[in-house]
Amino acid sequence: MSSEPPLNSRFAEDLQMKQVAGPATYHRDTDGPVAYLSVADRAGTVIGYVWANDRDEAAGWVVPQGLSPNAVNAGGRWVRALRGGKARELAPTALLAELAQGANDNEQSHVVPGSRTEAPSLAALKELAAGG
């Protein structure tokens, strides 16, 4: 007989996690071409890229390497814009067009005018953001 107290069965059961709610989000990956916008801070430094692909209902935010913590934090506004676009059921590129018109600009960051461009893939955009 063991001198240890018996294990409570509540601690021996596997937990069954189930997500029941969360913000609406676009898919975060695509293997097709992506349209994107460059976003800069008030000094003109690019702090990220908002990208979209309608075929895969995908959109996201890519951050260049080596940014200051403040610049990285400024990207939160653009991630929230992506969630808001999905919640309003906008197609990813329709949201991109709205953002290109300055819908999410503020004193901390803004879309670089005329920056809407296409990349052959999300991987190519990520390589661009990495300095490649």
Side-chain angles (χ1 to χ4, degrees), residues 41-42 45 72 83 124 130:
D41 63 12
R42 68 178 111 182
T45 303
V72 172
R83 288 182 184 155

Side-chain angles (χ1 to χ4, degrees), residues 65-131:
Q65 295 177 349
L67 293 178
S68 70
N70 285 341
V72 172
N73 288 340
R77 177 176 184 83
W78 300 92
V79 172
R80 287 188 298 277
L82 288 163
R83 288 182 184 155
K86 179 62 176 176
R88 292 184 293 138
E89 299 181 359
L90 289 177
T93 56
L95 174 62
L96 214 60
E98 191 176 277
L99 295 174
Q101 297 299 315
N104 200 48
D105 292 359
N106 70 0
E107 65 181 49
Q108 300 297 321
S109 61
H110 62 277
V111 169
V112 175
S115 68
R116 185 173 172 143
T117 312
E118 274 206 21
S121 66
L122 180 54
L125 177 58
K126 288 179 178 180
E127 186 176 319
L128 169 75

Side-chain angles (χ1 to χ4, degrees), residues 18-101:
K18 180 179 177 184
Q19 183 174 351
V20 294
T25 59
Y26 294 108
H27 296 283
R28 295 183 180 144
D29 198 18
T30 180
D31 57 0
V34 296
Y36 68 92
L37 298 168
S38 300
V39 176
D41 63 12
R42 68 178 111 182
T45 303
V46 173
I47 62 166
Y49 304 93
V50 182
W51 62 268
N53 173 292
D54 284 344
R55 185 191 71 191
D56 293 325
E57 186 78 14
W61 173 251
V62 175
V63 180
Q65 295 177 349
L67 293 178
S68 70
N70 285 341
V72 172
N73 288 340
R77 177 176 184 83
W78 300 92
V79 172
R80 287 188 298 277
L82 288 163
R83 288 182 184 155
K86 179 62 176 176
R88 292 184 293 138
E89 299 181 359
L90 289 177
T93 56
L95 174 62
L96 214 60
E98 191 176 277
L99 295 174
Q101 297 299 315

